Amino acid sequence: MCGIVGYIGQKDASQILLDGLRKLEYRGYDSAGIAIHSADGLEIVKEAGRIARLSEEVARKATNGSVGIAHTRWATHGAPTKINAHPHTDAHQTIAIVHNGIIENYLDIKKELSGKGITCVSETDTEVVAHLAALLWDGDLVTTMHAITTRLRGSYALAMMHASDRNTIVVTRKDSPLVIGEGESENYVASDITALLSYTREFKLLEDNQIARIGRNSIEIFDASLHPVSVESMHVSWDALAAEKGGHAHFMLKEMMEEPKVVRDTIRPRINESKDAVVLEGLGLDKELLAGIDKIFITACGTAYHAGMVAKYLFEHLGGIPVEVEFASEFRYRNPLVGSRTLVIVISQSGETADTLAALREAKRLGAHVLAIVNTVGSSIAREADDVIYTWAGPEIAVASTKAYIAQLSVIHLLAVHIGTLRNVMDRSAVRAYLAELEKIPEKIATILEQRHVVQQLAERFAHAGDIFFIGRGFDYNIALEGSLKLKEISYIHSEAYAAGELKHGTIALIEEGTFVAALCTQGTMIDKMVSNIKEVKARGAQVLGITCERFGSVSEVADMTLYLPDTPDNLVPILAVVPLQLFAYYCALERGCDVDKPRNLAKSVTVE
């Protein structure tokens, strides 16, 4: 979740840009840089680490000018280093580019550039855009930007300057936000309104595929065919904190609303053009290595552990390989049967979870090949693992994980297909059908989020319950565990999740008149069994919320209330089923007056055992 800032006017651009970057620090970043039109051409200053380091370097170099662009980077392609930081330039430093998003076909463009003798110096997907811009340069920033975008596949917000044009910044966007701030004889650009609230309250919001030419006294906006379009200005009255949250009351809600984009960004670059194969760039887990693996061992903590439980089902079903899952906090102390023929997968949002890092080191000591699924480039787990797959969820500010968990599930589905392909369990047609359904998931999540008011009404009804239970079978039990955890984390309601088939073996004793039970019923092979389990708890006075897919009408016949998910194949429905449970936890916490983003006693990254 990178940040872009741009300025053109009469003032010292560097100080405005640095101030804007500081306002975007909440988004998370690991490096930063600015490009200024100076008397000597484009001057680029970049640093890994905090904005304070960049500010010191800008002051040392006495960077001066009234036009510039700046960027904070959250590493996706390449480690958080100075050379990978934005802005990126062409070989002659005539063009400067900053970019948010992911260029899915950057390797193809990089290969084309190499064929023309152009060498990229960074590991990023963004640098290729700067070199491509130099190749396509026709003397005009707008038409050059248009030519660039016809070559790109993926998501992007781009801001570009050229050394020969000291009076223009050009910007465009696709699936990544970008706003233009209006001033007197000066104008601004940012990826987020909050960066500019100190300078203006008037904004133009770019739509996908629009291109804007921004001067000191003018803003021209063009559509995808380069026809001029009129965009009305919006007056913003929010305070800065509300702007950081995208107008939402809490970061947790903002992050849930980002889930469709997170899934899209996670899966799209990793599906080949024919849509019949998963491409996991740089992964050493090839057919030869996998042939020497007898077992997969997954270890993680908390929410990531629940993602690992879903992975067990998927890897066994799609990959035909036995899988064991263990809490990372227990891994070292159980003398695990792990060796050179074991693939150990560790999952962590932060990449710094102490228990998970300790499990990784133990697995490597025992001779296992370790694959990490993490969200943070350059983290300890990412550095020490033999292989790493990044989830690309962007930073999570709220302590309770939502979009990072969704991203972990998305990566797990891709990895399951990859393993199934390598082990000849899935052929091309099966992969094509599976990926086609996976690509529908973002839109289906968006549909659920649009109906969040229904979940809110349920939460208001049950937020003051003493106990809430979640039940399910198979995948649904895994999701029930995560839903229960979310509720405990942020609402402090006592909640437990049970495998529905185990109710009769003791836990049904907890059900009494008025007990609230959320029953997940999304697995076609288990609907009849779940209907029986609902009847069991209702016979003892429970009030039951059924969460099911649209095609399973029998659930509504026995449940007191029913939430419907869009029809989805059994293997993929866990990504959808967790969304209403996240919303339910959020609205329960809201109703109880809890601090949603910062629940008591919890930390975002658990770096102690």
Side-chain angles (χ1 to χ4, degrees), residues 61-300:
K61 291 188 173 181
T63 307
N64 189 29
S66 60
V67 183
I69 53 178
H71 190 267
T72 51
R73 176 177 185 254
W74 174 272
T76 56
H77 296 65
T81 62
K82 182 173 181 177
I83 201 166
N84 286 334
H86 299 211
H88 288 285
T89 69
D90 65 307
H92 302 291
Q93 204 165 303
T94 58
I95 287 173
I97 288 270
V98 292
H99 163 231
N100 289 354
I102 295 170
I103 305 301
E104 296 173 9
N105 60 331
Y106 86 100
L107 286 175
D108 295 334
I109 297 173
K110 193 172 185 177
K111 188 180 297 185
E112 177 188 336
L113 294 171
S114 179
K116 297 178 183 295
I118 299 170
T119 301
C120 291
V121 297
S122 76
E123 302 170 87
T124 69
D125 56 334
T126 302
E127 187 188 350
V128 301
V129 183
H131 292 297
L132 184 62
L135 281 179
L136 298 174
W137 175 246
D138 62 4
D140 181 83
L141 279 165
V142 170
T143 53
T144 299
M145 180 68 89
H146 180 260
I148 293 168
T149 58
T150 62
R151 298 289 310 279
L152 302 182
R153 192 174 70 249
S155 62
Y156 49 79
L158 293 166
M160 181 170 70
M161 303 190 307
H162 195 282
S164 68
D165 188 343
R166 300 171 59 84
N167 300 303
T168 308
I169 298 172
V170 66
V171 299
T172 190
R173 61 153 290 187
K174 178 179 177 292
D175 297 330
S176 195
L178 200 68
V179 302
I180 301 170
E182 301 175 84
E184 294 291 331
S185 299
E186 58 187 1
N187 288 304
Y188 308 83
V189 175
S191 52
D192 199 325
I193 285 171
T194 185
L196 306 178
L197 285 179
S198 299
Y199 304 100
T200 182
R201 295 278 171 165
E202 303 298 322
F203 293 89
K204 292 183 183 292
L205 307 185
L206 278 191
E207 298 290 340
D208 274 359
N209 303 310
Q210 289 181 339
I211 299 174
R213 186 201 312 269
I214 304 168
R216 291 176 176 81
N217 297 291
S218 63
I219 299 171
E220 300 172 88
I221 300 177
F222 306 88
D223 65 15
S225 300
L226 291 185
H227 298 132
V229 294
S230 177
V231 175
E232 291 187 11
S233 298
M234 176 184 77
H235 178 77
V236 172
S237 56
W238 313 332
D239 61 22
L241 186 60
E244 289 175 6
K245 297 170 183 172
H248 298 296
H250 298 93
F251 281 110
M252 184 177 175
L253 181 58
K254 174 179 181 285
E255 287 156 8
M256 286 187 287
M257 297 303 292
E258 291 171 348
E259 287 174 340
K261 182 179 184 300
V262 165
V263 176
R264 195 176 294 116
D265 287 349
T266 299
I267 66 174
R268 274 176 31 183
R270 290 155 166 162
I271 296 174
N272 70 351
E273 288 191 29
S274 301
K275 298 186 183 297
D276 60 1
V278 169
V279 181
L280 297 173
E281 180 195 340
L283 194 67
L285 185 62
D286 56 16
K287 195 162 190 171
E288 182 180 355
L289 192 154
L290 197 57
I293 297 297
D294 294 331
K295 178 178 73 171
I296 295 176
F297 206 124
I298 301 172
T299 186

Side-chain angles (χ1 to χ4, degrees), residues 300-362:
C301 299
T303 287
Y305 173 79
H306 296 156
M309 293 183 73
V310 174
K312 171 182 168 64
Y313 279 80
L314 288 173
F315 294 162
E316 289 183 343
H317 179 63
L318 300 181
I321 188 168
V323 180
E324 190 171 346
V325 187
E326 180 62 276
F327 289 111
S329 57
E330 298 287 339
F331 183 86
R332 286 185 299 160
Y333 306 108
R334 58 167 287 182
N335 296 318
L337 298 178
V338 168
S340 61
R341 297 186 67 82
T342 309
L343 170 65
V344 172
I345 299 177
V346 298
I347 308 173
S348 168
Q349 185 278 137
S350 68
E352 302 294 345
T353 310
D355 287 317
T356 308
L357 184 58
L360 179 155
R361 289 168 176 166
E362 177 67 4

Side-chain angles (χ1 to χ4, degrees), residues 471 473 500-504 508 511 529-542 544:
I471 61 174
R473 290 171 177 259
E502 291 297 299
L503 283 172
K504 64 180 81 65
I508 201 167
I511 305 299
K529 296 293 185 184
M530 281 303 303
V531 166
S532 296
N533 293 137
I534 291 172
K535 289 179 178 179
E536 286 175 348
V537 295
K538 279 184 63 65
R540 288 151 180 86
V544 178

Side-chain angles (χ1 to χ4, degrees), residues 508-562:
I508 201 167
L510 295 170
I511 305 299
E512 59 187 9
E513 191 69 34
T515 301
F516 180 62
V517 175
L520 285 104
C521 313
T522 71
Q523 302 297 295
T525 57
M526 305 211 187
I527 287 298
D528 291 342
K529 296 293 185 184
M530 281 303 303
V531 166
S532 296
N533 293 137
I534 291 172
K535 289 179 178 179
E536 286 175 348
V537 295
K538 279 184 63 65
R540 288 151 180 86
Q543 293 189 55
V544 178
L545 167 65
I547 301 169
T548 189
C549 294
E550 292 165 347
R551 66 185 183 276
F552 302 135
S554 59
V555 174
S556 63
E557 295 174 8
V558 292
D560 298 290
M561 304 145 285
T562 308

Side-chain angles (χ1 to χ4, degrees), residues 380-396:
S380 298
I381 288 173
R383 293 196 308 271
E384 295 191 28
D386 299 300
D387 271 324
V388 62
I389 306 176
Y390 292 109
T391 52
W392 295 344
E396 263 191 340

Side-chain angles (χ1 to χ4, degrees), residues 468 470 479-489 495-497:
I468 293 179
F470 295 78
I479 300 304
L481 285 165
E482 177 60 14
S484 178
L485 177 62
K486 283 291 150 290
L487 191 65
K488 284 180 280 200
E489 282 180 318
S495 172
E496 301 295 340

